[in-house]
Amino acid sequence: PLTINGMPFLQVLAGPSWESGDFSAGLRLVADKLKNRESFRDIALPVTVDGVERWWEIAASPRFDGSGHFLGFRGVGSDVTEQRASADKINRMARFDMLTGLPNRLYVNESLAKAVVEAEGWKSRCAFMMIDLDRFKAVNDTLGHPIGDRLLSHVSQRLAALVTDNEMVGRLGGDEFAVVVRDASDPFGVEQLARRIIETLSRPYEVDQHTLHIGASVGVATSPRDGNTAETLIRSADLALYRSKDRG
């Protein structure tokens, strides 16, 4: 307590960021409320305690004397670090596939919707790839689910190694995967990635002393030509995938 005696309240909350000026959104909001002498509640912000980042939720109201003179603020704060960590974990579980660790269908859809809006704003293009594994069902049926699951993990590792910051790869479910290409202004680059995916996933896999051979088909849709919403792009990519499987 002695170390914070006489320190401005905002400086106490800011911790190391007081010097750098890199304030959290919560701290900026608190500063605004204090300046305007307005009540606030349920504001969460990171606070450094003994060198460790904690999360506090604070609420306070301005106090005035009988003549209306401002006396200061009175409020309460509570440490919500544990609750926040649980919420983050639940949020993560809701958006990631348990088997492969890749983003799941929900997260892929959210990312595609965001990419569509950003591409529209930049007068650019984004793309969506749908990937379906060929002959995976035969492996699953003959060798069983545990081998099938391990094979899917190998597939996801290969896919994750192919993408850059411009793409996000996810698993839609079963043996279906997807790639969101945020900036697809280079159609040749998108086509090259699709070909690399097919080639990489078609190489043999070694799983529990079994050498497994599968393939992959890819359907690609590009905004705004094939759709200007996430839903229409997914539908277009699905149709393209169906056509590519049809042609073998």
Side-chain angles (χ1 to χ4, degrees), residues 158 196 198-206 212-215:
R158 289 190 190 183
R196 256 198 329 274
I198 292 169
E199 189 228 323
T200 305
L201 296 188
S202 300
R203 290 184 200 140
Y205 298 82
E206 297 295 330
L212 307 176
H213 296 268
I214 58 168

Side-chain angles (χ1 to χ4, degrees), residues 15-30:
S17 72
W18 185 255
E19 298 299 326
S20 66
D22 185 19
F23 304 135
S24 68
L27 189 67
R28 289 179 194 278
L29 191 55
V30 169

Side-chain angles (χ1 to χ4, degrees), residues 25-27 29-30 33 39-45 56-59:
L27 189 67
L29 191 55
V30 169
K33 296 289 186 186
S39 295
F40 59 87
R41 52 178 308 197
D42 302 334
I43 295 182
L45 70 167
W56 287 3
E57 199 168 85
I58 58 175

Side-chain angles (χ1 to χ4, degrees), residues 67-147:
S67 325
H69 291 113
F70 176 63
L71 298 173
F73 274 82
R74 176 182 289 172
V76 292
S78 54
D79 190 308
V80 292
T81 313
E82 307 309 322
Q83 296 94 304
R84 214 183 151 84
S86 305
D88 283 350
K89 191 175 175 189
I90 290 164
N91 190 25
R92 186 179 164 77
M93 283 168 70
R95 281 174 171 71
F96 287 85
D97 174 54
M98 296 305 283
L99 174 68
T100 62
L102 291 179
N104 63 12
R105 185 182 288 272
L106 169 68
Y107 199 2
V108 166
N109 287 1
E110 286 176 353
S111 301
L112 180 60
K114 195 172 158 205
V116 168
V117 170
E118 283 176 2
E120 202 175 6
W122 289 104
K123 298 280 182 281
S124 178
R125 287 180 286 210
C126 70
F128 185 67
M129 291 183 191
M130 219 166 226
I131 305 157
D132 196 72
L133 303 180
D134 304 328
R135 301 186 296 282
F136 173 76
K137 193 175 182 304
V139 171
N140 223 18
D141 291 351
T142 54
L143 297 174
H145 289 295
I147 298 273

